[in-house]
Amino acid sequence: MPSPATPRASDRWRFYRAVWRWHFYAGLFVLPFIAWLALTGAVYVYQKPIDRWIHHDLKVVENAAVPPSPASAQLAGVNAVSRGAVFRYTTPEYADGSIEIGVQEVDGRRQIYYVDPGTAQVLGQLPDKGTFSGVVRQLHSLDLLGDYASALIEIAAGWAILLVATGVYLWWPRGQNGGITTVRGQPRQRLFWRDLHAVTGVWVGGLLVFLAVTGMPWSVVWGNQVNAWANGHDYGYPAGVRVDVPMSAHRLADTTTPAWSMEQAQLPVSAVPHVQHAAADDGHAAHGGGPLGDLSPQPGALGIDAAMRRFNALGLAPGYSIALPRGPMGVYTASVYPEDLSRQRVVHLDQYSGRVLLDMGYADYGALGRGLEWGINVHLGNEYGTVNRVVLIVACAGILLLCLSGVVMWWKRRPIGGIGVPPLPRHGRSVAGVFVLLCIGGLVFPLVGLSLLVVGVLDCLATRGWRLT
């Protein structure tokens, strides 16, 4: 006669099999993505030294001790070799770095020209985001897949969280002697790969969840909705955005890559001198001149040299970029996002008077904005210097090992001619119960919930309502 404990044990293992089934599905869909993200992310962590090495002839100057020439002379050097319009000027982050000048060519392409600060000589050019790290970032964010990339990132990140949650449940000690902190068996045995997978997952699972959550701000649904909600309720927007100054239809993201909290920020407008009012009021002043607007110098504007002196006096961190005014009502905008979050800053100047219209930094962000910016900075390996980068490299290596061990373990277990989906428990309601729990989590991330629903419906139909065959 069965003991009273038998039904409870049976229920426990029935639930275990149901969780295992969903863990398998999560791994089936997400492992290729997280392996790719870990590999490209590990490379991107050291983007700056790699770029300086690969593009040394463009990014590093030999005569760093020579006093810099005026910014206007450097722009003139670029204008001598290009017929396009300059839209961005970036100061060097390092003492031996070159000036980077963004140009919108007449055919619409965006090019970055590298200029020696001392001689104003053009060292060469690359397409915008055409550096090695720029390509790696596009690979990491799946931009090469087109408009669906950010949706795939959101789905993969959400499934990665489900993968870790179900994996921790499967790992949880149930009286076994191994596979908790130690690895049993030999590499030729499935037991070895199962234990390696479980132990590795426990060590890197928390970091995987952190990277998945902090990668979500770039996603198409969750990221955009949270950004709009945070900024609309003053949780993310710098408080200085909503002040009584006229704002244009242009956004900071049009000419630079802002911090996540600044993606919705509009640009203020300059006080147009009386002689310029007719041009400003004709409906084209703030919007003409192609995708970037009218970038031609305006009569009475103070010029790039005077603007730089103003920005330097305000103490912006090295490496800041200046977006040039667009049209008579445009402004000079300097922005910098260094590794030190406290030095993030965006400053807008009236292009005629040089008056500071808005000056915003990390301390001005709302609570949600500060929290998410911190997470993004850690995600990029910036916040805690070398320690941050080393931890991320170890995490990426652990994630790759997690993926490899999961694939080998599945390969050794799979049946001939099948994909090896874990068997259904005797009572299908266990699978349904786990499915409902996962769907609750899917409410937080809509695309994840939708994909989870699709997989659940297909699995239910394939098994005739989660019944054993």
Side-chain angles (χ1 to χ4, degrees):
M1 181 176 180
S3 66
T6 302
R8 289 195 296 272
S10 175
D11 288 343
R12 182 186 68 184
W13 289 109
R14 194 164 62 223
F15 193 72
Y16 180 95
R17 284 180 173 272
V19 173
W20 182 21
R21 190 175 181 89
W22 285 109
H23 183 75
F24 173 84
Y25 282 138
L28 183 67
F29 297 125
V30 85
L31 282 189
F33 286 103
I34 63 175
W36 177 255
L37 294 174
L39 182 62
T40 54
V43 176
Y44 190 75
V45 164
Y46 286 97
Q47 52 161 319
K48 290 180 181 178
I50 291 176
D51 266 358
R52 278 172 62 86
W53 175 63
I54 292 179
H55 307 291
H56 187 275
D57 57 333
L58 297 177
K59 285 185 164 287
V60 181
V61 297
E62 303 301 331
N63 54 346
V66 176
S69 57
S72 56
Q74 298 158 7
L75 294 182
V78 170
N79 289 331
V81 299
S82 170
R83 294 187 296 115
V86 173
F87 66 90
R88 187 171 66 229
Y89 176 99
T90 303
T91 63
E93 183 176 358
Y94 305 102
D96 61 349
S98 60
I99 300 291
E100 299 181 14
I101 298 177
V103 174
Q104 172 114 6
E105 303 288 6
V106 292
D107 59 4
R109 292 178 298 115
R110 289 190 180 188
Q111 296 285 109
I112 305 298
Y113 288 81
Y114 297 84
V115 179
D116 186 317
T119 65
Q121 178 186 356
V122 176
L123 304 174
Q125 67 190 76
L126 288 173
D128 191 19
K129 301 178 182 177
T131 60
F132 177 79
S133 67
V135 173
V136 171
R137 183 158 188 166
Q138 291 182 70
L139 293 173
H140 182 71
S141 59
L142 304 180
D143 281 349
L144 298 180
L145 298 181
D147 296 337
Y148 300 103
S150 56
L152 289 173
I153 290 289
E154 182 170 340
I155 293 172
W159 276 90
I161 296 172
L162 299 181
L163 188 70
V164 173
T166 53
V168 168
Y169 177 84
L170 297 177
W171 165 87
W172 196 261
R174 295 176 177 82
Q176 65 265 40
N177 297 321
I180 306 303
T181 58
T182 59
V183 178
R184 300 166 292 182
Q186 301 295 324
R188 65 178 181 275
Q189 297 174 307
R190 178 180 177 272
L191 177 65
F192 171 87
W193 293 99
R194 180 267 172 205
D195 284 3
L196 181 63
H197 184 75
V199 173
T200 303
V202 168
W203 281 106
V204 304
L207 290 171
L208 177 55
V209 170
F210 174 82
L211 291 172
V213 171
T214 53
M216 281 288 190
W218 289 289
S219 62
V220 65
V221 175
W222 189 90
N224 288 343
Q225 292 300 317
V226 170
N227 188 282
W229 176 79
N231 292 321
H233 293 81
D234 203 17
Y235 298 121
Y237 247 149
V241 168
R242 277 184 292 278
V243 294
D244 293 329
V245 288
M247 306 298 285
S248 73
H250 294 301
R251 298 186 182 276
L252 186 61
D254 293 339
T255 54
T256 189
T257 304
W260 179 85
S261 295
M262 295 294 295
E263 287 183 351
Q264 305 295 327
Q266 292 174 275
L267 301 180
V269 295
S270 294
V272 183
H274 180 71
V275 295
Q276 288 291 93
H277 270 301
D281 293 338
D282 68 359
H284 302 283
H287 304 282
L292 292 175
D294 180 11
L295 289 163
S296 59
Q298 301 298 314
L302 51 86
I304 183 68
D305 294 334
M308 279 202 66
R309 287 194 294 270
R310 189 77 173 101
F311 287 129
N312 289 334
L314 292 171
L316 274 77
Y320 67 85
S321 295
I322 301 175
L324 274 61
R326 293 179 292 175
M329 300 175 69
V331 296
Y332 284 103
T333 297
S335 58
V336 63
Y337 306 99
E339 293 188 359
D340 183 357
L341 270 176
S342 66
R343 302 194 72 185
Q344 281 194 6
R345 204 163 166 196
V346 176
V347 180
H348 304 293
L349 295 183
D350 185 296
Q351 68 168 308
Y352 304 103
S353 66
R355 182 171 64 92
V356 175
L357 301 176
L358 290 174
D359 186 348
M360 302 166 287
Y362 177 73
D364 300 308
Y365 297 178
L368 180 61
R370 288 196 300 271
L372 284 171
E373 288 298 338
W374 174 85
I376 290 170
N377 224 36
V378 175
H379 183 107
L380 295 173
N382 293 336
E383 185 62 16
Y384 303 109
T386 300
V387 172
N388 196 164
R389 286 185 278 273
V390 169
V391 169
L392 288 180
I393 291 294
V394 172
C396 289
I399 291 170
L400 289 171
L401 180 59
L402 188 66
C403 295
L404 174 64
S405 57
V407 171
V408 174
M409 179 177 61
W410 162 76
W411 185 261
K412 289 181 173 292
R413 185 187 64 81
R414 83 198 193 290
I416 297 176
I419 63 171
V421 179
L424 285 166
R426 187 168 298 277
H427 298 289
R429 64 176 178 271
S430 299
V431 180
V434 175
F435 174 64
V436 171
L437 291 175
L438 295 179
C439 283
I440 293 174
L443 294 175
V444 180
F445 305 111
L447 285 183
V448 179
L450 180 61
S451 63
L452 182 64
L453 187 62
V454 170
V455 174
V457 169
L458 292 176
D459 189 49
C460 182
L461 292 174
T463 57
R464 300 181 297 111
W466 289 312
R467 293 186 179 88
L468 290 170
T469 55

